[in-house]
Amino acid sequence: MVGGAAYYGGKQVQQGRNREAGQEARLEEIEAQQAAPVQAAAPPPSGGVTDNTIEQLTKLGQLHDSGVLTDDEFEQQKRRLLAS
C-alpha cells in the first residue's frame, strides 16, 4: 500500500512538472512574439538624419560656399531638409 501511494504521489509531481514545463515553453514563445515587433520597429537614426539628407546638406553647403545660395536661402533649404 505504501508503495502504491508513493508511486501515485511521484506520478502527480511529474505531471505537475510537465505542466510547468509546457507553460514555460508557451510563455517563452509569447514573449518572443511580443519582442519581435519591437525589434522590427527600431527607431530611425538619431536626429532622423539619413545618408541621403547628409548628401543633400553637403551639396547645399557647397552651393552656399560658392555663392550660388545666399545665407537666407541656405538656412531655408537646410531647415526644409532637416524637417523631413
Side-chain angles (χ1 to χ4, degrees), residues 34-51:
Q34 290 175 345
V38 172
Q39 293 171 354
S46 62
V49 179
T50 63
D51 290 340

Side-chain angles (χ1 to χ4, degrees), residues 1 5 10-11 13 17 28 31-32 38 40 45 56 60 63 67 76:
M1 176 91 122
K11 185 95 168 142
V13 168
R17 288 181 184 158
E28 288 175 4
E31 288 173 354
V38 172
Q56 290 178 344
L60 277 177
L63 290 171
Q76 181 182 22

Side-chain angles (χ1 to χ4, degrees), residues 11-72:
K11 185 95 168 142
Q12 293 298 332
V13 168
Q14 185 61 38
Q15 288 175 346
R17 288 181 184 158
N18 289 342
R19 265 193 311 275
E20 288 175 6
Q23 288 173 343
E24 186 66 29
R26 285 191 298 275
L27 284 174
E28 288 175 4
E29 183 179 337
I30 290 170
E31 288 173 354
Q33 289 173 355
Q34 290 175 345
V38 172
Q39 293 171 354
S46 62
V49 179
T50 63
D51 290 340
N52 185 37
T53 303
I54 292 171
E55 184 178 327
Q56 290 178 344
L57 286 170
T58 302
K59 289 178 183 178
L60 277 177
Q62 291 170 349
L63 290 171
H64 180 250
D65 290 343
S66 66
V68 174
L69 293 177
T70 65
D71 291 340
D72 290 337

